[in-house]
């Protein structure tokens, strides 16, 4: 069994910003127009896209991290609102680089401000032993009374707060996926997969599971993920593989459009067997995340099958995951289309997990086998 030391920085530079965030919170409560970062960001975004329409082709990071946008924000207040908010925008750029990053840290502050910090030493030597971890799917996490540690702070948090914090730290602060800011409520309710260290209840991996009746919130059907910039790459016989899951009628075999909700609504026979899995998180240093990527998929597929899900929509940005699927012996995953978002060197793929096949394939391997062969080179 190998081990790894995990850093859990609760006492970092953000602590010095607490007074700033407290002032902002009070201002939201009394201002006549602006009551949240969402409202301020929406006003500024609309203005920026009117001035620089070419930025509309990018995501929020592209819009608010543009040097033109930053220069404009620093020198031009939004006329229709209190001047305090212009000063906030300038302070946000000075402290965090842009307004959206500031919003992310503010959401982080709101969580940690409710809890008492504990000693950091609890997180030393987290094992890379598969049998040290447990997984489950929790329905309605907003009703779960349990507390979990995370690898992002040394405080036990209520489960819904723990998942929200992990999403903030990884997707917003680290990966700058600012679109999630306006949908953070999805991190605190609904159905989620959990993977945690059994001895110390440290939450190391999570994901959001949304059923077919929640598809209005699916990222797979969001307009940004349906645009012309997405290049189709699914095989011509994709319909055959979908039909073999047993949840579609045979007319899906001849369907060539696997990109929109209608394509599936017309052919679905079992609505309960399909879902979307998003916000798959793994925490810790890079080498430890490789272990968790393997382990969480192994646990997740078993949990999904036990949960009755035979096909899952997913969006993947990790090359290591895609390369792992290629090394398995059967069709466990199919890519649908891809896009180099904001000119990234790594493509983002929309695809399908065939959960039973992937579960069976992963159950036949263990971390030592992957680690000693080629997993460390997959990325």
């Amino acid at each position: 069994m190998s081990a790894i030391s995990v850093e859990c920085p609760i006492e970092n530079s953000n602590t010095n910003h607490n007074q700033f965030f407290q002032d902002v919170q009070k201002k939201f409560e009394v201002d006549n127009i602006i009551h949240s970062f969402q409202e301020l960001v929406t006003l500024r975004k609309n203005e920026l896209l009117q001035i620089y329409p070419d930025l509309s082709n990018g995501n929020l990071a592209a819009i608010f991290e543009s040097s033109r946008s930053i220069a404009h924000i620093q020198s031009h207040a939004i006329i229709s609102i209190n001047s305090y908010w212009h000063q906030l925008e300038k302070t946000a750029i000075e402290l965090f680089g842009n307004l959206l990053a500031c919003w992310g840290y503010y959401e982080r502050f709101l969580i940690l401000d409710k809890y008492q910090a504990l000693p950091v030493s609890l997180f030393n030597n987290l094992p890379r032993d598969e049998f040290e971890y447990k997984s489950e799917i929790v329905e309605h996490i907003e009703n779960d009374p349990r507390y979990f540690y995370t690898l992002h702070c040394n405080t036990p948090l209520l489960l819904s707060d723990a998942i929200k914090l992990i999403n903030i730290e990884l997707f917003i602060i680290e990966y700058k996926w600012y679109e999630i800011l306006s949908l953070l409520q999805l991190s605190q309710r609904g159905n989620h997969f959990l993977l945690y260290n059994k001895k110390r209840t440290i939450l190391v991996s999570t994901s959001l599971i949304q059923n077919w009746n929640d598809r209005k919130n699916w990222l797979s059907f969001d307009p940004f993920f349906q645009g012309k910039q997405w290049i189709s790459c699914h095989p011509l016989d994709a319909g055959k593989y979908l039909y073999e899951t047993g949840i579609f009628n045979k007319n899906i075999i001849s369907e060539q459009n696997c990109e929109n909700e209608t394509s599936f609504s017309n052919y679905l026979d079992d609505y309960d067997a399909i879902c979307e899995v998003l916000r798959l998180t793994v925490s810790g240093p890079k080498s430890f995340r490789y272990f968790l990527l393997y382990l969480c998929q192994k646990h997740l597929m078993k949990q999904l099958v036990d949960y009755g899900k035979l096909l899952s929509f997913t969006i993947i940005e990790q090359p290591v995951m895609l390369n792992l699927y290629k090394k398995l012996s059967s069709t466990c995953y199919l890519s649908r289309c891809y896009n180099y978002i904001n000119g990234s060197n790594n493509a983002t793929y929309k695809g399908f997990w065939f959960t039973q096949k992937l579960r069976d394939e992963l159950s036949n391997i263990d971390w030592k086998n992957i680690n000693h062969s080629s997993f460390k080179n997959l990325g």
Side-chain angles (χ1 to χ4, degrees), residues 95-129:
L95 295 179
F96 305 102
N98 67 81
L99 181 60
L100 294 173
C102 179
W103 182 3
Y105 278 103
Y106 175 74
E107 295 289 346
R108 181 184 188 274
F109 157 78
L110 292 178
I111 295 175
L112 298 183
D113 192 49
K114 298 186 293 184
Y115 296 90
Q116 178 67 41
L118 293 178
V120 174
S121 59
L122 289 171
F123 302 97
N124 292 334
N125 302 319
L126 198 63
R128 295 184 189 175
D129 182 344

Side-chain angles (χ1 to χ4, degrees), residues 323-339:
N323 289 333
L324 175 61
Y325 303 149
K326 292 177 182 178
K327 293 181 178 291
L328 301 178
S329 60
S330 66
T331 303
C332 305
Y333 166 85
L334 279 182
S335 291
R336 298 159 55 203
C337 55
Y338 65 93
N339 178 25

